[in-house]
Structure formats: structure tokens, C-alpha cells
């Protein structure tokens, strides 16, 4: 009782903490929120896997004191109804976006549609009075990017881009070490990301396989990595030169089907994936396939696949840092290797997220290695909390939904961050097409190295 009392007294005296605090009455096993403000009214467009999960059911389970869903919209009339059931909400559902915005007038619009359509909903959403939470990538080409920059300026509304990768504790630790000068001035970065034959292959099954939907993995996937680089390096990218090729998936096989469920090569294809075992995915996609023909388990060998599966780029930054980056989408394990080279040392990490070597024990921490010039390597262990993306998803959601949550490590991302990360991918894709380096400053009105949009 004494402990409970002191904790209560402490919390009520701290306004910032008050907004986001929960009191646990241990005797009753109940959790009581101290937040008494009005709930914000949220609408969502794009009620697929990410929308219904991370931004739907999970939000209602953890942030119900702050959030009320007032409308859901998806172009697939069956999926929006499935979403309503999955999320357990009773708000109205729509297949027409403007109708929803006019009818429910949300405070905030969550945009979780296919990447290439984000700009449409971000821009219209702001014009119709809402602040925006957009999934990454913010958008997929430079023209759409400019539309978002202009609309935010014109409407005075705010866009938050949900870069959950920034919130993983070991990445936050890297940020702290780099800012504290642990390796002196950063001069170059080696950054190599590996998607495995399971997760990597999945991009080639879904809408992501076409540039027109996801802007290629240069944008859809690498926007996460480029955002991390921009944040860690604490500067703006100025120029990109890149190569890319499609040499594993798509046309690179002797046989192919249309989707795994209907395939005649089930027995011999190493990439056969039995979606029927996944109840949630069957309900979201297979049961609603009749409305849009979308195949969640499309064949990875389809000949229309037009994205790259191996990519390499050189990126130059306004502060002189040079980056060597690569992305491979058919690796035997998933993870990444990174090294920051500095004037006084080197900070590196090898994070392997799947297929560990035989006998490897689950460690419960990520490891960084810091080596000062002329010094011995120092291993730094960063515990991995529970939850999606190494605990990062929860921290991101706390920041978004709990009023007053601080941002000491500058992890919250807006339009400028959203733009500069996807612009590196857009520049890389343009460079692959033209064979020439691309200047980031030529793509939109954002001038790298200058802090204003
Ligand atoms: N941050 C992360 O780690 C992460 C992880 C997964 C997905 N995402 C992002 O979330 C977004 C959604 O991805 P997903 O995996 O849920 O895909 P999904 O295919 O499951 O869902 C997309 C939904 O948008 C709907 N849609 C598409 N175009 C539309 C339009 N014009 N109007 C209305 N609805 C439309 C589709 O019908 C579908 O229901 C993407 O932008 C993706 O990049 C981010």
C-alpha cells in the first residue's frame, strides 16, 4: 500500500508522465489509466494485414484510452468488413475514401494502403482536415513526394511517418554512441541487408512484385534502411549511384504457376507456400479474393515481376559521409551487417534474425562492437525486449498515441524524414534505369543540408 501510495503521488505530480501512465492495483490485478483527456478520433484507409494488426487490433488492445476508431475504408468491400470483425469495432465502413472523410471527419487518418497510393490519401486527408499517420514508404516517386510536401505546407496539418526500425533498442544505442562521438567524426558506412528465402520471397508473391505498386524494393523495403542511415549519420543524402538486377525470382525459373494454392508444381517447387494453414491470411485475402482478384500467394516465378532482387548503391551525404549499401532478397538467413567507420574508431554489428547456426543459443540481446583506433574491441550487449521489431513497435506506438511522450533520440519522423528516405530509393531506382548518378536536390524542393523543406 505504501509503495502504491508513493508511486501515485509521484505520478500525479508529473504532468508529462501523468498523460501516459497506468496504475497497477496489484491486489485486484487491474490496470487503471490516469489519462482523462478526450480520445482522438481515428479513421483508417487500407484495412489489410498491417492496418488491421499493428494499427488496428493492437492499438485498441493497448491504447483504447486514447483512441477511438470512427471509420474504416478499403477498396475491397469484403476486406473492410473482415477488418471490422477482426478489430472488434462497430464504426461505419466505406469503400469510397472521400465519403468516409466527409461523413466521419476524423482528427487523424491512418494510411495503410498499397505504397503507391499513399500520396493520394495523405494529400486528400490533410485537405479534408486530418493529421496523418502514414506507413512507410511515405510514397514511391518524386512527383508524389512533392505533392505531399506541398500539401503539408498548404494545409498546416502534420504527417507522421511510422519508421518503427528507429525504435529498436540496439539501433537507438548505435545512435547514442555515434552522437556521443564514440568513433569521432563518421566518415563512411558499410551497410548490407539480407532478406531470406522465406520473407524475401514473400515480396515476390504479393503486390510488391510490381514497381507500380511499391516502387521496387529500393523504395518499399530499403526506405527503412535509408531512414536509419539518415538518422544515424545525422545529415542529408546528396547523391546516389546504383545497380540492380532481377536474377533469382520472376522469369528466372523453368516452370511457374499462378498461385501456390492452384499450382501443379507444389511438390517440386522449393518456394511452395501453403497459405491455407494461416487462418488470418485466409480470412483477410482468400475469402475476399472474389472482389479484387488479388492473390496473396502469387507465384514467385511470374514473368510480370519487374523489381530487382539484388541491389547495390553508393550514397554521398552533405557532411561528407560515404555509404556502401546492398540489399539481397534470396539469402539463406535474414539480417544485416553494418559498420560505421570514424576518425577515431569503428562501430559495427552483425544482426542475424533467422536461421541461426546449429547449436546457437537464443541470446536475448543484440551485440555491437566498438573498437577505438589502436584499442581493443569492446562488446556492448543490448537486451532485446518482447514485441514486434525488437520492442521497437511498442515504443513507436507509445510516442504516437500517448500524449506527452518524449523524443530524446529524435525517433519521431515527419514529412522531411519520410521524403529523404524514399528519395534515396527513388534516386537509386532512377540511377539503375539511366546508368547515371542522381542528385537528391534535383528530385523535389527539399535542398539537402538545409533544414527547411
Ligand atoms: N513498417 C513495417 O514494418 C511494415 C510492415 C508491413 C507493411 N507495411 C506497410 O503497410 C502498408 C500496407 O501493407 P500490408 O502488408 O498491410 O498490405 P495489404 O495488401 O495487406 O493491405 C493493403 C490494403 O490496402 C487496400 N488498398 C489498396 N489500394 C487502395 C485504394 N486505392 N483505396 C483503398 N484501399 C486500398 C487493399 O485492398 C488492402 O486491403 C504498406 O504501405 C506497407 O509498406 C509496413
Amino acid at each position: 500500500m505504501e509503495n502504491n501510495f508513493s508511486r501515485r503521488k509521484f505520478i500525479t505530480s508529473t504532468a508529462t508522465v501523468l498523460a501516459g501512465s497506468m496504475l497497477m492495483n496489484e491486489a485486484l490485478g487491474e490496470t487503471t489509466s490516469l489519462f482523462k483527456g478526450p480520445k482522438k478520433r481515428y479513421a483508417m484507409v487500407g484495412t489489410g494485414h498491417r492496418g488491421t494488426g499493428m494499427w488496428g487490433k493492437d492499438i485498441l488492445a493497448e491504447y483504447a484510452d486514447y483512441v477511438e476508431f470512427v471509420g474504416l475504408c478499403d477498396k475491397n468491400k469484403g476486406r473492410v468488413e473482415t477488418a471490422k470483425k477482426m478489430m472488434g469495432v462497430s464504426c461505419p465502413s466505406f469503400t469510397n475514401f472521400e465519403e468516409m472523410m466527409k461523413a466521419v471527419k476524423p482528427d487523424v487518418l491512418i494510411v495503410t494502403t498499397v505504397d503507391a497510393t499513399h500520396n493520394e490519401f495523405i494529400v486528400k486527408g490533410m485537405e479534408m482536415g486530418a493529421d496523418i499517420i502514414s506507413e512507410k514508404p511515405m510514397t514511391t516517386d518524386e512527383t508524389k513526394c512533392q505533392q505531399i510536401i506541398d500539401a503539408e505546407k498548404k494545409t498546416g496539418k502534420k504527417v507522421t511517418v511510422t519508421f518503427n526500425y528507429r525504435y529498436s533498442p540496439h539501433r537507438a544505442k548505435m545512435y547514442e554512441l555515434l552522437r556521443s562521438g564514440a568513433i569521432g567524426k563518421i566518415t563512411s558506412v558499410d551497410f548490407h541487408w539480407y532478406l531470406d528465402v522465406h520473407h524475401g520471397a514473400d515480396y515476390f508473391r504479393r503486390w510488391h512484385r510490381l514497381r507500380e505498386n511499391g516502387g521496387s524494393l529500393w523504395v518499399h523495403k530499403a526506405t527503412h534502411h535509408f531512414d536509419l542511415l539518415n538518422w544515424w549519420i545525422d545529415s542529408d543524402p546528396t547523391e546516389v549511384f546504383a545497380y540492380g538486377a532481377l536474377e533469382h525470382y520472376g522469369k528466372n525459373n523453368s516452370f511457374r504457376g499462378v498461385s501456390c494454392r492452384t499450382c501443379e508444381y507444389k511438390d517440386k517447387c522449393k518456394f511452395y507456400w501453403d497459405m491455407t494453414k494461416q487462418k488470418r491470411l485466409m480470412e483477410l485475402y482468400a475469402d475476399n479474393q472474389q472482389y479484387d482478384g488479388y492473390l496473396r500467394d502469387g507465384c514467385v516465378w511470374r514473368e510480370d515481376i519487374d523489381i530487382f532482387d539484388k541491389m547495390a548503391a553508393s550514397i554521398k551525404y552533405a557532411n561528407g559521409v560515404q555509404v556502401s549499401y546492398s540489399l539481397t532478397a534470396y539469402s539463406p538467413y535474414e539480417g544485416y551487417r553494418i559498420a560505421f567507420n570514424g576518425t577515431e574508431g569503428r562501430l559495427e554489428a552483425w544482426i542475424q534474425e533467422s536461421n541461426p547456426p546449429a547449436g546457437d543459443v537464443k541470446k536475448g540481446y543484440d551485440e555491437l562492437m566498438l573498437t577505438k583506433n589502436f584499442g581493443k574491441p569492446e562488446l556492448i550487449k543490448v537486451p532485446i525486449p518482447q514485441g514486434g521489431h525488437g520492442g521497437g513497435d511498442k515504443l513507436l506506438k507509445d510516442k504516437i498515441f500517448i500524449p506527452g511522450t518524449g523524443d530524446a533520440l529524435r525517433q519521431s519522423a515527419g514529412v522531411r524524414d519520410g521524403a529523404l528516405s524514399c528519395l534515396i530509393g527513388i534516386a537509386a531506382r532512377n540511377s539503375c534505369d539511366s546508368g547515371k548518378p542522381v542528385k537528391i536536390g534535383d528530385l523535389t524542393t527539399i535542398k539537402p543540408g538545409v533544414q527547411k523543406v
Side-chain angles (χ1 to χ4, degrees):
M1 282 305 287
E2 180 55 36
N3 280 349
N4 270 353
F5 177 73
S6 343
R7 179 166 154 69
R8 187 184 301 261
K9 223 166 114 187
F10 170 74
I11 288 171
T12 48
S13 68
T14 314
T16 313
V17 179
L18 175 68
S21 293
M22 314 279 267
L23 274 185
M24 177 70 97
N25 180 336
E26 283 164 27
L28 296 173
E30 286 172 354
T31 305
T32 317
S33 171
L34 291 174
F35 179 68
K36 296 285 178 254
K39 293 182 187 189
K40 269 201 183 171
R41 304 171 70 256
Y42 286 78
M44 178 188 289
V45 59
T47 59
H49 185 60
R50 191 74 174 164
T52 53
M54 166 98 171
W55 299 112
K57 202 163 183 280
D58 296 358
I59 295 302
L60 289 165
E62 294 163 50
Y63 303 89
D65 286 340
Y66 310 99
V67 174
E68 176 190 5
F69 274 98
V70 294
L72 300 180
C73 174
D74 199 287
K75 68 175 188 181
N76 183 312
K77 69 175 183 185
R79 188 142 53 241
V80 75
E81 295 312 319
T82 307
K84 223 167 132 172
K85 278 190 215 123
M86 282 182 171
M87 289 168 61
V89 291
S90 56
C91 63
S93 50
F94 301 82
T95 51
N96 182 302
F97 176 70
E98 291 191 24
E99 240 173 57
M100 172 176 82
M101 293 300 288
K102 278 187 201 144
V104 306
K105 298 185 176 52
D107 299 320
V108 184
L109 171 72
I110 300 177
V111 179
T112 40
T113 52
V114 165
D115 303 345
T117 65
H118 288 178
N119 65 307
E120 182 187 339
F121 302 115
I122 294 174
V123 170
K124 271 194 210 149
M126 286 195 283
E127 287 173 353
M128 296 180 85
D131 286 321
I132 308 290
I133 295 173
S134 171
E135 256 302 349
K136 51 51 59 177
M138 189 172 84
T139 188
T140 52
D141 72 34
E142 55 272 48
T143 310
K144 293 173 176 177
C145 193
Q146 188 65 52
Q147 289 166 4
I148 296 171
I149 294 167
D150 293 342
E152 195 189 48
K153 247 193 220 162
K154 196 174 107 202
T155 60
K157 292 289 165 188
K158 187 171 178 291
V159 180
T160 301
V161 184
T162 56
F163 283 121
N164 45 347
Y165 281 30
R166 288 190 186 192
Y167 289 82
S168 300
H170 75 276
R171 297 188 188 123
K173 184 70 185 171
M174 289 187 210
Y175 179 86
E176 281 179 30
L177 287 166
L178 294 168
R179 290 294 81 71
S180 73
I183 61 164
K185 182 180 172 311
I186 310 170
T187 54
S188 66
V189 185
D190 319 322
F191 192 12
H192 304 287
W193 200 284
Y194 310 101
L195 296 167
D196 69 18
V197 282
H198 306 287
H199 181 216
D202 214 30
Y203 293 106
F204 296 81
R205 292 191 180 102
R206 297 178 282 162
W207 51 260
H208 315 63
R209 76 183 192 286
L210 300 177
R211 274 184 186 213
E212 66 182 34
N213 291 332
S216 83
L217 294 180
W218 271 129
V219 177
H220 172 80
K221 187 67 196 172
T223 189
H224 271 308
H225 314 149
F226 298 145
D227 176 65
L228 285 173
L229 283 169
N230 297 347
W231 176 60
W232 279 324
I233 294 170
D234 199 23
S235 181
D236 295 339
T238 55
E239 193 168 307
V240 181
F241 180 74
Y243 291 112
L246 173 66
E247 59 181 21
H248 186 86
Y249 302 106
K251 59 186 182 311
N252 300 289
N253 199 40
S254 58
F255 61 84
R256 56 191 43 78
V258 176
S259 78
C260 287
R261 273 167 296 161
T262 56
C263 189
E264 59 181 289
Y265 302 105
K266 279 179 191 163
D267 295 335
K268 78 174 204 184
C269 183
K270 286 199 168 136
F271 287 83
Y272 169 66
W273 175 64
D274 188 0
M275 175 184 168
T276 62
K277 293 197 176 120
Q278 313 233 9
K279 184 171 176 283
R280 177 177 154 74
L281 298 187
M282 288 301 285
E283 286 173 7
L284 264 179
Y285 304 107
D287 294 354
N288 298 309
Q289 199 175 307
Q290 58 189 300
Y291 303 111
D292 58 8
Y294 176 60
L295 299 170
R296 173 62 184 80
D297 62 342
C299 177
V300 300
W301 310 122
R302 272 179 293 182
E303 282 175 309
D304 64 352
I305 292 175
D306 64 357
I307 60 171
F308 306 115
D309 54 23
K310 77 166 183 188
M311 288 143 274
S314 292
I315 309 161
K316 209 159 86 181
Y317 276 78
N319 65 357
V321 171
Q322 295 175 184
V323 173
S324 304
Y325 170 86
S326 74
L327 175 60
T328 307
Y330 45 86
S331 179
Y333 58 78
E334 179 111 354
Y336 69 100
R337 291 180 179 203
I338 192 157
F340 297 90
N341 303 295
T343 49
E344 290 169 34
R346 181 174 158 97
L347 174 66
E348 56 203 298
W350 176 6
I351 308 292
Q352 189 163 330
E353 292 169 352
S354 77
N355 201 11
D360 207 20
V361 187
K362 201 162 187 272
K363 294 197 212 82
Y365 57 85
D366 288 315
E367 207 161 56
L368 312 181
M369 189 164 85
L370 175 64
T371 317
K372 303 273 190 191
N373 288 350
F374 308 106
K376 287 265 176 240
E378 178 196 344
L379 294 176
I380 300 165
K381 292 178 180 164
V382 185
I384 308 173
Q386 294 294 307
H389 293 100
D393 286 357
K394 175 163 189 330
L395 297 174
L396 165 72
K397 286 187 278 189
D398 283 355
K399 173 67 192 140
I400 290 180
F401 295 107
I402 302 181
T405 304
D407 188 22
L409 302 182
R410 214 179 57 73
Q411 282 154 301
S412 185
V415 158
R416 195 171 193 281
D417 303 294
L420 283 172
S421 64
C422 68
L423 286 173
I424 300 180
I426 292 163
R429 193 184 64 216
N430 293 354
S431 174
C432 290
D433 292 346
S434 68
K436 295 189 176 130
V438 175
K439 287 196 190 314
I440 298 290
D442 289 346
L443 299 175
T444 66
T445 49
I446 294 181
K447 295 303 157 219
V450 180
Q451 268 310 313
K452 289 276 168 229
V453 173

